Amino acid sequence: MSSPMSASNFLKALKNEGLTVVQVGDWRTHNRNHKGPWGPVHGVMLHHTVTEGAARTVDICRDGYAGLPGPLCHGVITKDGRVHLVGYGRANHAGLGDDDVLRAVIGEKRLPSDNEANTDGNRHFYGFECENLGDGDDPWPAVQLEAVEKAAAAVCRFHHWDAPSVIGHREWQPGKVDPRGFSMTGMRSRIHDRLK
């Protein structure tokens, strides 16, 4: 069980991992904490945005849209490999997911299939949205995938977690497909190697 790191420690962890970080507005206090607690935190969740264009993507992830207010994550990883911090605290990114998956993440064990939506993921996961159309054709530049690896590893390093603490939205919530276009098994392998 881990308390979320402070916003300052989050920023420091990302920079220490070698990432280029862009701080967007009042990101340190922009959150959905009035809707429920954030923490204890147990892992990192990765998403794709179904958008194109860095500026538009960052704006949507910061502000949200009708029916889903922002922030929609903590950091937006654009195709150029930069991490844009748009919120900190509870964010509208994970939604309801499978309690069996959460137990596996906590135990850093093999993930079961996600067949329920009975647990509040916004409370328990750091979230990174990654700029990509999510159609299986939009490319994932090497610099972006490296930033995904570094961002997830930065959070894991701080909390003394290993790569099994990093999951895709598709592994958490039935019906989700993101992030589409790269293997979560492969990404966890990269994160594991970085943490060694």
Side-chain angles (χ1 to χ4, degrees), residues 1-188:
M1 183 180 296
S2 296
S3 297
M5 65 180 105
S6 69
S8 294
N9 282 339
F10 183 57
L11 175 62
K12 182 179 178 184
L14 295 172
K15 288 184 172 181
N16 285 350
E17 209 64 42
L19 288 159
T20 300
V21 180
V22 180
Q23 300 180 65
V24 181
D26 60 350
W27 71 272
R28 292 170 184 265
T29 56
H30 183 52
N31 56 55
R32 304 283 297 158
N33 289 358
H34 64 286
K35 289 294 184 180
W38 188 45
V41 288
H42 299 299
V44 178
M45 189 173 295
L46 303 177
H47 308 262
H48 65 234
T49 59
V50 196
T51 60
E52 59 184 337
R56 177 172 176 267
T57 297
V58 170
D59 285 348
I60 289 171
C61 289
R62 186 196 179 284
D63 299 331
Y65 49 86
L68 192 66
L72 305 183
C73 60
H74 301 104
V76 182
I77 303 173
T78 48
K79 285 187 177 282
D80 60 6
R82 295 187 297 166
V83 180
H84 304 255
L85 301 183
V86 296
Y88 204 68
R90 186 181 176 90
N92 271 336
H93 74 99
L96 293 176
D98 195 311
D99 60 340
D100 295 326
V101 173
L102 182 62
R103 279 192 287 277
V105 169
I106 292 169
E108 296 193 327
K109 300 191 181 313
R110 184 182 175 123
L111 294 176
S113 62
D114 54 328
N115 58 11
E116 296 179 288
N118 60 7
T119 301
D120 176 12
N122 294 334
R123 177 179 185 174
H124 296 300
F125 288 94
Y126 293 89
F128 290 99
E129 286 278 0
C130 308
E131 178 193 352
N132 192 277
L133 291 173
D135 58 6
D137 295 321
D138 191 16
W140 290 89
V143 68
Q144 185 182 28
L145 290 175
E146 183 179 18
V148 172
E149 170 194 328
K150 287 180 175 180
V155 176
C156 289
R157 196 180 305 283
F158 181 91
H159 287 290
H160 306 289
W161 297 334
D162 202 348
S165 294
V166 181
I167 65 172
H169 199 193
R170 67 179 181 244
E171 297 172 306
W172 169 248
Q173 190 176 63
K176 296 296 183 180
V177 298
D178 58 314
R180 189 173 181 193
F182 66 85
S183 158
M184 281 305 305
T185 300
M187 180 55 69
R188 280 190 284 268

